[in-house]
Amino acid sequence: MSATSDTSIGPQRVLVTGGAGFIGSHTCVELIESGHDVVVVDDLSAGHAAALDRVREITGTRPVFERVDITDAAALDAVFRRHSVDAIIHFAARKAVGESTEIPLDYFDTNVGGTASLLAAARRAGVHRIVFSSSCSIYGSTGAHDLDESAPTAPANPYAWSKLACEQMIEQACRYHDEQRAVSLRYFNPIGAHPSGLLGEDPHGTPRNVVPYLAQVAVGRRERLQVFGGDYPTPDGSAIRDYVHVVDIARGHVAALDHVDDQPGMQLFNLGTGQGTSVLELRAAFAAAADRDIPYVVVDRRAGDVPRLVADIGAVRRAWSWKPEYDLATMCRDAWRFQKSHPEGYRR
Ligand code: UD1
């Protein structure tokens, strides 16, 4: 495992909100394999209870599961009463950029309201460590440079605004409550699946993100990929992102837990690979992994998209020795392995 640490704080009982979702379920696996106990809080609006069964198949342990909406303060208090928790990893959120422009207030309600409710309940329970799931989208539009954590924030949609508001709330909590410790992880584009083929990405409804869509084209559920924009100022005209394996992201959370006590205040790190890949390059890599043609058509740009988002990951490498282990071919191979064996997702 690449996320090495000299300062491990030992086995913890960790409350994982959104633990039945894509990144959350992969993080449960890495936590359990690192010796931690896991309590999942999820309302199953986007996650799958079956993912927790898969966590058990992989690790031998099914996380304790509490079906709770994080905006329900009384239910959260009851969870904290039932389980003595040392730390929180907070994933539960709405995450579709396009949808956030249609129902912005729901995004603020779940993401910002939910985080406020969680922080308050944690405080009542005496739990002062939190690792927060943030997003590169809060950097907004940028030029050709890779983004380090000092890049200005410029959210371009309500989803991104909601993530920035959560970061600010957590930072203020750290500032005025001496015992509060926090790490915010700004992920770039997590893709791939667990190498066992048992856990993967299974969005409800039509996929909004590019890899689940590509995978469903490859497996025959959809006709062709629409490439959003062929006239970006990039070498092939399609937009560039920093795709990172979900297992590397999950291990980043285990490292964050090990280091959450390192310093007061909120620590902030990018998690990506530092490698940019265009949509057309990604399509080609996925077609190679699946060993089949993936039809596509170039259409207009998608509202709210930016030409290029690539991480500078120097800070997290220096601080924790975390570095991504898997390349793009492996990300595509693993995503395809899950899709091929679960053409209809967890409902197979
Ligand atoms: C966005 C957010 C990211 C967030 C993620 C969660 C931004 C800039 N980034 O990622 O922070 O964590 O959503 O959902 O807001 N594409 C196609 N065809 C498709 C789908 C996508 O060409 O059918 C293209 C997009 O235009 C984009 C790239 O593929 O250039 C990646 O898109 P997507 O997977 O949706 O992720 P982001 O929008 O980059």
Side-chain angles (χ1 to χ4, degrees):
M1 165 171 151
S2 57
T4 55
S5 160
D6 298 321
T7 58
S8 171
I9 49 179
Q12 305 277 298
R13 175 162 296 140
V14 188
L15 186 85
V16 180
T17 74
F22 173 49
I23 307 175
S25 58
H26 286 80
T27 300
C28 289
V29 168
E30 299 303 319
L31 287 168
I32 292 168
E33 290 188 337
S34 302
H36 300 296
D37 280 343
V38 177
V39 177
V40 165
V41 163
D42 199 302
D43 68 357
L44 300 183
S45 58
H48 301 267
L52 301 177
D53 298 330
R54 301 306 175 81
V55 171
R56 178 179 50 203
E57 278 190 61
I58 296 166
T59 66
T61 305
R62 193 179 199 271
V64 174
F65 176 48
E66 295 276 5
R67 186 168 185 173
V68 162
D69 178 336
I70 53 165
T71 61
D72 183 342
L76 277 181
D77 282 338
V79 168
F80 281 111
R81 273 197 302 276
R82 279 195 290 275
H83 309 283
S84 167
V85 166
D86 301 302
I88 298 168
I89 301 183
H90 177 32
F91 294 103
R94 294 173 180 262
K95 62 151 209 165
V97 168
E99 183 187 57
S100 78
T101 66
E102 292 152 22
I103 49 169
L105 298 181
D106 297 71
Y107 271 67
F108 282 92
D109 183 29
T110 305
N111 296 5
V112 183
T115 301
S117 143
L118 178 68
L119 284 172
R123 195 165 170 70
R124 286 191 291 274
V127 180
H128 303 300
R129 297 191 183 104
I130 186 165
V131 176
F132 177 64
S133 164
S134 188
S135 164
C136 66
S137 63
I138 70 177
Y139 293 121
S141 188
T142 58
H145 299 295
D146 295 350
L147 293 154
D148 68 24
E149 292 79 357
S150 68
T153 54
N157 52 65
Y159 162 74
W161 274 111
S162 74
K163 287 290 176 181
L164 182 57
C166 291
E167 279 195 359
Q168 291 172 335
M169 187 189 334
I170 295 167
E171 196 272 327
Q172 291 290 303
C174 289
R175 183 165 301 205
Y176 296 105
H177 295 309
D178 287 344
E179 61 283 18
Q180 183 73 52
R181 295 287 180 274
V183 176
S184 181
L185 298 175
R186 293 177 173 171
Y187 328 137
F188 281 65
N189 287 59
I191 63 166
H194 195 267
S196 64
L198 289 169
L199 268 186
E201 191 166 9
D202 180 15
H204 296 226
T206 305
R208 297 171 188 270
N209 295 114
V210 66
V211 166
Y213 203 101
L214 264 172
Q216 292 191 8
V217 176
V219 85
R221 268 173 76 179
R222 304 193 185 270
E223 200 182 330
R224 60 190 177 179
L225 176 73
Q226 292 190 318
V227 175
F228 296 142
D231 58 351
Y232 283 111
T234 60
D236 65 21
S238 65
I240 292 176
R241 295 288 180 273
D242 181 339
Y243 298 96
V244 51
H245 200 294
V246 64
V247 171
D248 281 325
I249 292 280
R251 291 174 181 171
H253 291 77
V254 179
L257 201 59
D258 283 343
H259 289 278
V260 67
D261 286 336
D262 282 1
Q263 44 182 287
M266 185 180 74
Q267 304 177 61
L268 187 60
F269 292 108
N270 289 339
L271 291 185
T273 63
Q275 302 290 320
T277 302
S278 74
V279 178
L280 291 173
E281 289 168 338
L282 179 69
R283 186 207 70 91
F286 204 96
D291 194 22
R292 59 188 63 187
D293 185 38
I294 298 184
Y296 72 98
V297 58
V298 177
V299 299
D300 286 347
R301 295 180 181 191
R302 184 173 67 176
D305 271 350
V306 297
R308 184 176 187 280
L309 276 174
V310 178
D312 178 327
I313 54 169
V316 68
R317 291 179 82 128
R318 285 189 295 275
W320 300 342
S321 310
W322 176 91
K323 61 179 184 349
E325 200 172 303
Y326 301 111
D327 63 10
L328 187 70
T330 308
M331 298 176 214
C332 292
R333 184 199 67 195
D334 290 343
W336 174 239
R337 185 188 289 116
F338 177 76
Q339 186 69 63
K340 191 174 48 172
S341 56
H342 300 76
E344 301 296 326
Y346 288 113
R347 281 170 294 134
R348 96 178 138 172

